[in-house]
Structures are given as structure tokens and as C-alpha cells.
Amino acid sequence: MATAVSDVQPELEQDHPCFACVVRDISLCGVLESDELRRFKAIGTTVQLAAGETLFMEGDPPAAVYTLTSGAMRLSKLLSDGRRQIAGFLFRGDFLGLTVEDAHLFTAEAIGDSVVCRFPRARFEAFLDEHPQMERRLFAIAAHELAAARQQLVLLGRKTATEKVVSFLLMLASRCRKEGGLADEVAVPMTRNDIADYLGLRIETVSRELTALKTSRLIQLTGTHALRLLDKPRLRAMAEA
Amino acid sequence: MATAVSDVQPELEQDHPCFACVVRDISLCGVLESDELRRFKAIGTTVQLAAGETLFMEGDPPAAVYTLTSGAMRLSKLLSDGRRQIAGFLFRGDFLGLTVEDAHLFTAEAIGDSVVCRFPRARFEAFLDEHPQMERRLFAIAAHELAAARQQLVLLGRKTATEKVVSFLLMLASRCRKEGGLADEVAVPMTRNDIADYLGLRIETVSRELTALKTSRLIQLTGTHALRLLDKPRLRAMAEA
DNA sequence: CGAGCGATTGATCGCCATCAAAGTGGGTGG
DNA sequence: CCACCCACTTTGATGGCGATCAATCGCTCG
């Protein structure tokens, strides 16, 4: 189970982790000024997740919301016979867990070791009441995720296996550039199975498509979890938007 | 082109169409009290759309937001070679057109003759600034659509043709029950092609699946745009969530 | 009555799934 | 340190679901 490693200490003030938070500028908290952030931090706890650990399951009551500060996660749903669909991947700075339904509709699991900031729902909502600009930010986040989900509908409904894999690599490249790496160097934190379940394919097809892209000198496989895009313009043309 | 049939007359007051609006309680406006509604109505115009007409196109700047007061619409995207994906259908009371991107990502077209209430974006946002409870409603709408889109991801990525069609019929039944009709009587305003492009199938497959369901006595085709669900429990079991 | 469009039905094809087996690499215990 | 193990990945052979191609049906409207 996930373990809370540091309850927030109100007296820490300036050296509170939030102030040094690597994702503060790109995440929900970005709209808060330092005094507001101070009050916001007081309702959050840091939670560490080992690779594969579950943060919340489909059907769980939505007890808290989270910001992912490091690592990567997946949102997935299982059908009764074991088929799985991954609705999205989450990276540093992403926000998760907020829903208007009375239960989570997807399961959130850590892909690699991850750290999230946990905000109990009631206290989060109370904070929202006093900070309308944060509510607006929240709407912007939801609208952006809606746009991404609808884009994924096009991919799943109408694209070929090749187009799916190429689109996925380009998305990864724009979302998750390898830290300090060269341009077009892409980190691939998830397994081939995760990729397959995100793209509506089987693992063998993903593997074959990657091999084919390698053979065509469009990508270079620098490891199972890293690769390089060798011809982004041609890849973009192959992705069909 | 769509035609504005009635600019709002501020002096109309109580007999303004909004007060009699058939979708007021289920739509965005539902959170407004009558005096707020009076001010809100002042920024809206009624627009009629003939079947097939376009309200906005992918790429258009998002100049306004809309509430659909009658009829049905579709949100779609075209790939360069003509493949089409429909991201969703809209019915009475649905809200559309709001995006945080700088262009619409999908095209909105009327399926049958439709009527929308049009709110210019700038004035809509100014109104939002003064009505935080409406902003919250807006977030709830976006979150709900996000949930629906993710559910559709599962359908497109992992369900069989039969499961797709059955899931679609059940969704239609819950969203769009035939007015004044018997229970399990379902209106199907869209064409087979629209259904196919929503489910990631071809028209022939949709037709075959419907015929198969009819042959199995699970549905009854009462017309090309109407049918009856004869065994909802079994259909639900076939839909795989 | 005929034209035209959407829907249905039939025959065949091809992409990707499935089944099967071998390769790879990271971690653990001897 | 090395050998083994196990999970993940890759590669190969075959099959099936849904796409594609093609023809007919049936309704609406002129």
C-alpha cells in the first residue's frame, strides 16, 4: 500500500516541499501566490508509490485529489474478461482523481516509482470555495483533458496500427522528453503492454510496428524504455494528425 | 448558413423564450435564479439550423458557446483521406463550443433540424466572472463529458462490433428516450453512417449487427430511425459494462 | 413512375489478433 | 561472481473479425 512519508508541518514555511516543488509552475498550484500556496500546502500530504502500486481503484469513492510530482502513472479500466483499456498516462505536474461521479471510473496505478501530493477532497473543496481563480484553472485542466481524450477517440476509432504507434511516439516526445537528453530523445516509462492497451492493439503488434519503424530508419531503439526519433517530419506525416 | 431568428428583446422580460425554455432545468442555465437568468438571456440569441448544417468547423476560432434546445448534433473530425470519427452526439440541453484551445478541435453539425442558444464568448466570459456558481457548473459539465469520452475510449479500444452496437443502443436509450413513447422505445436521429463513425465501424457492419440483434429477438426495428429494446437485461449483459 | 439516397445483404479480402516459441535483460540467491 | 529465473520483448505462423467490393432493396420525393 502507498505510504505517507511526510505529513505537512505548518511551521516549515519557506522550506516546505511545495516551494521547491519541481512541478509547481506547470501544475494546479501554479495559479497560487505564495501566501495562498502556504495555506494550500497545509491540506496536502506527500505519498510515495512503488512501481505497479495502485493509488485508487475503479469504484472507489473519490476521497482525495492528487498532483503527480514525479514518476508516471496510468488510468485504466478492466472489462470482466480481462481486456484492459488505458484511458491516459500521467506525467509530472498532472492532476488526477477529481470526478463529479460518486465513484472513480478508472484505476490509477504507478508505472514506475512515483510521488504524488494528496489533498483530501473535503478540504480541497473548501479551499476551492475561497479561491475562484483555482476553480477556473481546474476547468481549464478538465477542458484540456477532454480535448486530449477526444483526440484519442480519433486515434482509436479510425487510425491504423502504424498511425497509432507513430502518433503515440510523437505524443510521448512532446509530453515526456528525456531529462537533459538530446532533442528527439524519448523516454518510454511504460511497458509494451501498457502501450498496447492505450492504443487498442496487442503487445505483438506494438512490437512489430516499432521494429518496422526501426528498419525504416525512422526511429532508433536505444533501449526498451528509450528511443530516438530520427525523422520527425516524416513521422508527423505518417501520424495523420 | 444558420440564421438568427430572434435577437433577444430586453423588454420582453417574463415571456422571454428562456423562461419557457424546455431545457432550462437540465442545462447550464439551471443554476441561475430568475433575475440572473434575465441578465444571462440578454447575451443570447436563438439560432436555427437545418439538417446537416454546420454550427462551427474544426479550426474555427471559438467565437461563441451554445446550448442545444432542440434537435440533435454531432461533433466530428475528418482525417485528410476522408476517414471520419464522431466524438459525440449532443441532445436537448447539452452545452457545446467551449474550449481552452485557440481553435475548435471538432466540427459541430446538426443531425436533424435543430435550435441552439448562442452566447458570444466575450460576453459569456464576462458573465462568468460575476457568477462563480456557473463556473462550477461548467466544470461539472466538462468533468462529466470527460468521463463519457473516457468510457468511449474503452468502447473503441477494446469492444467487439456487437458490444459496440449494443452499448450504443443502451446509451441512446438512456439519453434520448422517444418523446412520450413507451419504455424501451428509442429514437435514433442519426444515420447508420453517423453510428458507424461514432463506433469506429463501417456502415455495413452496423447494419449487420442490428439485423443480428433483430433476428435474436433482442431488439425490434420499428423504422430506420426508431427501434425498441426487447430485453434490456440481456442487452446490458452483452455490452460488457 | 422513375430517380436517388440510405440501408441491407452477399462475397471476398486483409489487417491485426491469436497461438507459439525463442531471445533478452535485470535481479536474486547460491 | 556467476547462474538461474522470471518477466518482458521480439519474431514467426496461422486465423478470424470486420473492412471492402458489389449488388439489391426500399423509401421519399419530384
Coordinates of all heavy atoms in Angstrom, one line a residue, chain C residues 3 6 8 15 18 20 23 26-27:
Chain C
dA3 P -35.1 7.0 -64.3 OP1 -34.7 7.2 -65.7 OP2 -34.8 5.7 -63.7 O5' -34.4 8.1 -63.4 C5' -35.1 9.3 -63.2 C4' -34.6 10.0 -61.9 O4' -35.4 9.5 -60.8 C3' -33.2 9.6 -61.5 O3' -32.5 10.7 -61.1 C2' -33.3 8.5 -60.5 C1' -34.6 9.0 -59.8 N9 -35.4 7.9 -59.2 C8 -35.7 6.7 -59.7 N7 -36.4 5.9 -58.9 C5 -36.7 6.7 -57.8 C6 -37.4 6.5 -56.6 N6 -38.1 5.4 -56.3 N1 -37.4 7.5 -55.7 C2 -36.8 8.7 -56.0 N3 -36.1 9.0 -57.1 C4 -36.1 7.9 -58.0
dG6 P -27.5 9.9 -48.4 OP1 -27.4 11.1 -47.6 OP2 -26.4 9.3 -49.2 O5' -28.1 8.8 -47.4 C5' -29.3 8.9 -46.8 C4' -29.9 7.6 -46.4 O4' -30.1 6.8 -47.7 C3' -28.9 6.7 -45.6 O3' -29.7 6.3 -44.5 C2' -28.5 5.6 -46.5 C1' -29.7 5.5 -47.5 N9 -29.3 5.0 -48.8 C8 -28.4 5.4 -49.7 N7 -28.3 4.7 -50.8 C5 -29.3 3.7 -50.6 C6 -29.7 2.7 -51.5 O6 -29.3 2.4 -52.6 N1 -30.8 2.0 -50.9 C2 -31.4 2.2 -49.7 N2 -32.3 1.4 -49.3 N3 -31.0 3.2 -48.9 C4 -30.0 3.9 -49.4
dT8 P -30.6 -1.0 -42.0 OP1 -31.7 -1.4 -41.1 OP2 -29.2 -0.7 -41.5 O5' -30.5 -2.2 -43.1 C5' -31.6 -2.6 -43.8 C4' -31.2 -3.7 -44.9 O4' -30.3 -3.1 -45.8 C3' -30.5 -4.9 -44.3 O3' -31.3 -6.0 -44.7 C2' -29.1 -4.9 -45.1 C1' -29.4 -4.1 -46.3 N1 -28.3 -3.4 -46.9 C2 -27.9 -3.7 -48.2 O2 -28.5 -4.5 -48.9 N3 -26.8 -3.0 -48.7 C4 -26.1 -2.0 -48.0 O4 -25.2 -1.4 -48.5 C5 -26.6 -1.7 -46.7 C7 -25.8 -0.7 -45.9 C6 -27.6 -2.4 -46.2
dC15 P -3.5 -5.1 -45.4 OP1 -3.3 -4.1 -46.4 OP2 -2.5 -6.2 -45.3 O5' -3.7 -4.5 -44.0 C5' -4.9 -3.8 -43.7 C4' -5.3 -4.2 -42.2 O4' -5.8 -5.5 -42.2 C3' -4.2 -4.0 -41.2 O3' -4.7 -3.3 -40.1 C2' -3.8 -5.5 -40.9 C1' -5.1 -6.2 -41.1 N1 -5.0 -7.6 -41.5 C2 -5.9 -8.6 -41.0 O2 -6.7 -8.2 -40.1 N3 -5.8 -9.9 -41.4 C4 -5.0 -10.2 -42.4 N4 -5.0 -11.5 -42.8 C5 -4.1 -9.2 -43.0 C6 -4.2 -8.0 -42.5
dT18 P -7.1 -11.5 -29.5 OP1 -8.4 -11.7 -29.0 OP2 -6.1 -10.8 -28.7 O5' -6.4 -12.9 -29.9 C5' -7.1 -13.7 -30.8 C4' -6.2 -14.9 -31.2 O4' -5.1 -14.4 -32.0 C3' -5.6 -15.6 -30.0 O3' -6.0 -17.0 -30.0 C2' -4.1 -15.4 -30.2 C1' -4.0 -15.2 -31.7 N1 -2.8 -14.5 -32.3 C2 -2.1 -15.0 -33.2 O2 -2.3 -16.1 -33.7 N3 -1.0 -14.2 -33.7 C4 -0.7 -13.0 -33.3 O4 0.2 -12.4 -33.8 C5 -1.6 -12.4 -32.2 C7 -1.3 -11.1 -31.7 C6 -2.6 -13.2 -31.8
dA20 P -1.1 -22.9 -29.3 OP1 -1.4 -24.3 -29.8 OP2 -1.4 -22.5 -27.9 O5' 0.4 -22.6 -29.7 C5' 0.9 -22.7 -31.0 C4' 2.3 -22.3 -31.1 O4' 2.4 -20.8 -31.1 C3' 3.2 -22.7 -29.9 O3' 4.3 -23.5 -30.5 C2' 3.6 -21.5 -29.2 C1' 3.6 -20.5 -30.4 N9 3.5 -19.1 -30.0 C8 2.6 -18.5 -29.1 N7 2.8 -17.2 -29.0 C5 3.8 -16.9 -29.8 C6 4.5 -15.7 -30.1 N6 4.1 -14.5 -29.6 N1 5.5 -15.7 -31.0 C2 5.8 -16.9 -31.6 N3 5.3 -18.1 -31.4 C4 4.3 -18.0 -30.5
dG23 P 16.8 -18.3 -29.8 OP1 17.7 -18.4 -31.0 OP2 17.0 -19.2 -28.6 O5' 16.8 -16.8 -29.3 C5' 16.3 -15.8 -30.2 C4' 16.2 -14.5 -29.5 O4' 15.1 -14.6 -28.6 C3' 17.4 -14.1 -28.7 O3' 17.7 -12.7 -28.9 C2' 17.0 -14.4 -27.2 C1' 15.5 -14.1 -27.3 N9 14.7 -14.7 -26.3 C8 14.5 -16.1 -26.1 N7 13.7 -16.3 -25.1 C5 13.3 -15.1 -24.7 C6 12.3 -14.7 -23.7 O6 11.7 -15.5 -22.9 N1 12.2 -13.4 -23.5 C2 12.9 -12.4 -24.3 N2 12.6 -11.1 -24.0 N3 13.7 -12.7 -25.3 C4 13.9 -14.1 -25.4
dG26 P 19.3 -4.5 -18.2 OP1 19.2 -3.3 -19.0 OP2 20.6 -5.2 -17.9 O5' 18.5 -4.3 -16.8 C5' 17.1 -4.5 -16.8 C4' 16.8 -5.3 -15.5 O4' 16.9 -6.7 -15.8 C3' 17.7 -5.0 -14.3 O3' 16.9 -4.9 -13.1 C2' 18.6 -6.2 -14.3 C1' 17.7 -7.3 -14.8 N9 18.3 -8.5 -15.3 C8 19.4 -8.5 -16.2 N7 19.8 -9.7 -16.6 C5 18.9 -10.5 -15.9 C6 18.7 -11.9 -16.0 O6 19.4 -12.8 -16.6 N1 17.7 -12.4 -15.1 C2 16.9 -11.6 -14.4 N2 15.9 -12.2 -13.7 N3 17.0 -10.2 -14.4 C4 18.0 -9.8 -15.2
dG27 P 17.5 -4.3 -11.8 OP1 16.7 -3.1 -11.5 OP2 19.0 -4.3 -11.9 O5' 17.1 -5.4 -10.7 C5' 15.9 -6.1 -10.8 C4' 15.9 -7.4 -10.1 O4' 16.6 -8.4 -10.9 C3' 16.8 -7.3 -8.8 O3' 16.1 -8.0 -7.7 C2' 18.1 -8.1 -9.1 C1' 17.6 -9.1 -10.2 N9 18.6 -9.5 -11.1 C8 19.5 -8.7 -11.8 N7 20.3 -9.4 -12.6 C5 19.9 -10.7 -12.4 C6 20.4 -11.9 -13.0 O6 21.3 -12.0 -13.8 N1 19.7 -13.0 -12.6 C2 18.7 -13.0 -11.7 N2 18.1 -14.2 -11.4 N3 18.2 -11.9 -11.1 C4 18.9 -10.8 -11.5

